[in-house]
Amino acid sequence: MEQNNSSSARRAFPERTSVPPADIFETKEGIELLLDLPGVKDEGLDINFEKNTLSITAKVFAAAKEGYQLGHGERPADVFKRSFALSKDLNVDKAEASLKDGVLKIS
């Protein structure tokens, strides 16, 4: 297959924003939040807590094949966004987050 050096690559579908599904469980220690983020890696994840609002933004970067330029692409980059109003009682300094198998867990 020949390498495409065209600088006019086109994406058939532009970046899209999605609202991922979430589950929030109440525990003795506080809460546990599970959020589906398929394809997201650590470097594409941004978690913020401000004024009792937890905001999560995650991006799946469109894959680029090394040594090639995209001539036509139908696999869009995804952006996931969710915000949650949280209780003032929560101690966010003790919060932990992990991303495994496309699921973000915050507890």
Side-chain angles (χ1 to χ4, degrees):
M1 187 170 205
E2 196 173 312
Q3 183 172 342
N4 182 348
N5 290 319
S6 170
S7 61
S8 61
R10 295 189 186 137
R11 283 228 166 257
F13 304 102
E15 181 178 279
R16 61 184 178 197
T17 301
S18 302
V19 178
D23 291 328
I24 300 175
F25 302 95
E26 292 183 18
T27 67
K28 291 178 184 177
E29 296 80 29
I31 64 163
E32 181 173 292
L33 179 137
L34 300 176
L35 187 66
D36 288 347
L37 298 173
V40 172
K41 295 182 180 172
D42 288 341
E43 59 269 15
L45 185 59
D46 184 35
I47 303 170
N48 290 302
F49 184 76
E50 188 175 322
K51 297 182 181 178
N52 298 324
T53 300
L54 175 65
S55 299
I56 301 164
T57 303
K59 184 169 186 175
V60 177
F61 300 98
K65 188 169 180 166
E66 191 172 327
Y68 290 83
Q69 282 190 324
L70 182 65
H72 174 81
E74 294 186 353
R75 297 176 8 192
D78 280 333
V79 176
F80 299 100
K81 292 186 178 186
R82 283 300 296 262
S83 291
F84 303 92
L86 300 178
S87 167
K88 293 181 182 181
D89 301 357
L90 296 176
N91 185 351
V92 295
D93 294 330
K94 292 185 178 181
E96 295 182 6
S98 64
L99 181 62
K100 183 177 178 187
D101 297 330
V103 178
L104 174 66
K105 177 181 176 181
I106 300 176
S107 54

